[in-house]
Amino acid sequence: MAKLLDLQEWAALVYSQPPSLSTLRRWAREGRIYPCPELHGKKYQLVADAIYVDPRKSKMVRKTTSVSPPKKGSLVEKLKHVEQAGPLQR
């Protein structure tokens, strides 16, 4: 298991000028750090490779190139296209 760091140790590793402890605690409460820090007593503990997640960015997934189905053609051609595309990802 990886060694857990407290918020100030983590911020010192990630930022050249770390935010204040109250800001780090607010980020932990609001879920802005992934993976989510764990509260051990009165201190938040988290793994060293945790990242800050910007809440204004609604989608944090990597964009993939999607192929749109053909607009014209028979039903059989459209079904073949769906089979080649693979399973749907939601």
Side-chain angles (χ1 to χ4, degrees), residues 25-36:
R25 286 180 180 154
R26 181 171 35 88
W27 288 355
R29 282 192 310 270
E30 293 175 356
R32 293 184 181 199
I33 301 173
Y34 179 81
C36 189

Side-chain angles (χ1 to χ4, degrees), residues 7-8 10-12 14-24 26-27:
L7 288 172
Q8 290 179 320
W10 172 78
V14 176
Y15 297 101
S16 59
Q17 293 181 344
S20 67
L21 182 58
S22 61
T23 300
L24 294 169
R26 181 171 35 88
W27 288 355

Side-chain angles (χ1 to χ4, degrees), residues 44-60:
Y44 283 100
Q45 301 285 318
L46 65 157
V47 293
D49 60 346
I51 59 169
Y52 173 78
V53 179
D54 190 358
R56 291 174 287 180
K57 296 182 180 177
S58 61
K59 294 185 180 180
M60 295 297 294

Side-chain angles (χ1 to χ4, degrees), residues 1 4-6 36-46:
M1 185 168 134
L4 295 176
L5 305 172
D6 67 1
C36 189
E38 302 170 358
L39 188 60
H40 292 265
K42 294 182 179 181
K43 291 178 112 178
Y44 283 100
Q45 301 285 318
L46 65 157

